[in-house]
Amino acid sequence: MASTLRTRAFAFWLIALAGCGVDLLTKSIVFRRLGMPDFDNPKPPWWIWEPYFGLQTSLNEGALFGIGQGKVWLFASLSVVAIFGVCYWLYFAGAAADRMLTVALAMIMGGILGNLHDRLGLWEPPELVGVRYYAVRDWILFQWNGWVWPNFNIADSLLVCGVALLVWHAYRHGDAKQSSDVERVAPPV
């Protein structure tokens, strides 16, 4: 059992750090190629599948869908709390005993770390050496029939996929728990 938990903890950190690394690498590449966003004179997107999917740099000083703009330190603090929460859940609350929970939490951790890196200003724009921005770098653009989804990044995708796995896990195990509770309380026939 201890061997399995060590293996799962290793897998957790491998997935989390790989996800964070891919996020930071893609942000760096796209921002180097496309440059910083120009809010006064926005650049057109670089379309991969026009007009549905493309690349366009943007900065988000808030959180989900841009809410809480300017509250970078609040969201950075919440990210640190979330990191401790995920580690507690994994190591002390026993989530490492479950493979799906381990993967879901690893994806969430990778997303948290990638966006926290940006919020703490640990990056600098390629064309502005020595300048720090305390904002999350977003670059994936998706739109459909005039409806534009707010730009996002790999870290955001990891967070969404990790949470989706958690919801699926809760639903799947919730049904199993309910059916076992029903069997326990069902009167004998």
Side-chain angles (χ1 to χ4, degrees), residues 105-162:
L105 292 175
M107 294 172 80
I108 290 169
M109 182 66 83
I112 292 169
L113 293 173
N115 283 341
L116 180 60
H117 175 274
D118 287 2
R119 283 192 176 102
L120 294 177
L122 300 176
W123 65 281
E124 58 185 48
E127 64 269 13
L128 302 170
V129 177
V131 175
R132 297 279 182 206
Y133 280 87
Y134 299 90
V136 173
R137 296 171 287 173
D138 292 323
W139 55 272
I140 301 171
L141 173 65
F142 177 75
Q143 62 184 23
W144 184 264
N145 293 334
W147 176 78
V148 180
W149 188 263
N151 290 20
F152 59 100
N153 57 43
I154 300 295
D156 298 336
S157 300
L158 287 168
L159 288 164
V160 168
C161 292

Side-chain angles (χ1 to χ4, degrees), residues 1 10 24 31 34-35 50 55-56 58 71 81 92 99 105 110 112 114 117 119 126 138 148 155 163 166 173:
M1 181 69 170
F10 176 77
L24 296 177
F31 271 70
L34 299 182
E50 190 172 357
L55 309 180
Q56 182 182 47
S58 69
K71 296 187 174 27
V81 170
F92 299 105
R99 182 181 303 139
L105 292 175
I112 292 169
H117 175 274
R119 283 192 176 102
D138 292 323
V148 180
V163 169
L166 284 180
H173 286 280

Side-chain angles (χ1 to χ4, degrees), residues 167-184:
V167 169
W168 186 57
H169 182 273
Y171 177 75
R172 194 180 88 184
H173 286 280
D175 282 351
K177 184 179 182 313
Q178 282 180 343
S179 63
S180 69
D181 288 346
V182 169
E183 290 169 10
R184 257 190 307 228

